[in-house]
Amino acid sequence: KIRCLCCDVIRSQPSNRDEGKSYGAIQRGESDGFSRERFFELLRECAVEGFQLMVVDVTIQLSGSLTNYIAASDHFEIAYKLGAAESAYWSFGPSWLMGSMMFFKLLGASIIANGRYTFFRGFFYSVGILTLSLSIGAIVAAAMKKQYVAFEYGASACIYASQEKCASSYASIFQGSDDLSTLFEYFGPTVGLNLFFIFLRASLMTCHDFHYIAKTATASFFVVYLPALFLAKFVFKSAISYYVALYIPHFALIFVFGLRMKKHLHCMEEGIDGPWTPHTRKMSNVAGDENHQEVAELFGDKDEMEKPLL
């Protein structure tokens, strides 16, 4: 049921079926299609919102790149330990959650656009329970298999044991208070919390709160990440400190995003406007009665099928 806006623009131009309408009326979007002005307005909105989402991803990737490069500038063994933990990351939950998040964002946005706020709240809590289950599973699995996972993902470093001049590097990776197995004690909770970061970020995307996501992600980079990286570099100088610095912006954003999402759910319950409201009204005007009825029919809500557009 995806609409092709380009086809709508073409249909909005004068044609034989618009003989009864003036050219001015057609240009104002009163034809069967979609005005060119409205089309380019939507393109501008998509570009702005896309840039705001890109800011979030850039800050996340930048924190990861900076952490690894600066850690490697201290000792390559620290960078190796971080790399091992990052390699194991996708095997303990995130890969199972990403497909659900895509489904949640697409379907959740449609539910909100049709004003089905009660249905969305239930959908939100259901996906939250799924995220909680995966988070607990990641923490338990990582705790039970800590030694095995650490040595499995650090196995390539065993080559250092075969060369006498590399013995110190081997000892730094596998022995001592800052060895690989000690780092993996923090691995499970980090993965578990990061799943909630992914979930809450997707929830705010569904609510079209792109400006808030970009603003808080940028603030967390400067206010939370850089001080943590400074402490890891000049004070603690350990793999654990770098690993915590890498993910501490995510943990801060969990709290911030959670409060914001709580406010959005309250607004939906009370019928108060939110960042989704302008988009909902625009899409209601664009989609028309036919698409509104189709969405209502998709969710099986007979009462909703009888309601007028917002």
Side-chain angles (χ1 to χ4, degrees), residues 83-105:
E86 290 294 285
S87 298
Y89 171 78
W90 289 100
S91 301
F92 282 79
S95 60
W96 300 95
L97 190 64
M98 297 309 293
S100 302
M101 289 300 100
M102 180 65 68
F103 177 77
F104 174 60
K105 286 184 287 188

Side-chain angles (χ1 to χ4, degrees), residues 25-261:
I26 295 172
Q27 290 299 97
R28 290 193 302 271
E30 297 174 6
S31 65
D32 295 337
F34 193 73
S35 70
R36 180 175 294 178
E37 290 77 9
R38 177 64 182 136
F39 174 71
F40 286 108
E41 182 185 350
L42 278 179
L43 283 183
R44 181 186 63 80
E45 292 175 0
C46 289
V48 172
E49 293 174 351
F51 175 78
Q52 291 170 339
L53 290 178
M54 185 184 71
V55 168
V56 180
D57 289 332
V58 167
T59 55
I60 292 173
Q61 295 299 327
L62 186 59
S63 63
S65 299
L66 283 176
T67 303
N68 282 283
Y69 280 121
I70 294 177
S73 69
D74 279 347
H75 299 285
F76 89 91
E77 295 93 339
I78 295 178
Y80 182 90
K81 298 171 195 175
L82 295 178
E86 290 294 285
S87 298
Y89 171 78
W90 289 100
S91 301
F92 282 79
S95 60
W96 300 95
L97 190 64
M98 297 309 293
S100 302
M101 289 300 100
M102 180 65 68
F103 177 77
F104 174 60
K105 286 184 287 188
L106 293 175
L107 185 56
S110 298
I111 296 171
I112 291 177
N114 285 273
R116 309 237 12 238
Y117 302 139
T118 302
F119 188 91
F120 174 77
R121 290 199 305 272
F123 189 34
F124 170 83
Y125 292 131
S126 298
V127 178
I129 293 173
L130 171 64
T131 305
L132 176 62
S133 301
L134 289 173
S135 177
I136 295 174
I139 294 173
V140 172
M144 293 176 60
K145 300 290 185 178
K146 178 186 67 174
Q147 293 287 346
Y148 171 79
V149 174
F151 294 135
E152 174 70 16
Y153 284 91
S156 59
C158 293
I159 191 174
Y160 299 132
S162 63
Q163 304 177 31
E164 183 178 354
K165 60 184 178 180
C166 297
S168 60
S169 297
Y170 179 84
S172 175
I173 294 173
F174 292 106
Q175 297 178 1
S177 59
D178 192 40
D179 66 339
L180 194 59
S181 60
T182 303
L183 176 64
F184 269 83
E185 292 179 0
Y186 298 82
F187 175 74
T190 299
V191 175
L193 287 173
N194 208 47
L195 293 181
F196 280 98
F197 167 74
I198 296 172
F199 165 59
L200 291 172
R201 182 179 63 171
S203 301
L204 292 180
M205 289 179 184
T206 304
C207 295
H208 287 265
D209 206 357
F210 305 117
H211 177 72
Y212 182 83
I213 299 174
K215 179 176 64 176
T216 53
T218 303
S220 70
F221 180 83
F222 291 101
V223 177
V224 179
Y225 169 71
L226 290 181
L229 183 63
F230 180 86
L231 292 174
K233 169 70 175 177
F234 297 104
V235 179
F236 298 104
K237 298 181 180 181
S238 65
I240 296 173
S241 63
Y242 277 108
Y243 190 60
V244 172
L246 174 59
Y247 283 104
I248 198 169
H250 300 194
F251 303 156
L253 289 174
I254 290 174
F255 177 76
V256 175
F257 287 175
L259 290 179
R260 183 72 167 182
M261 199 61 206

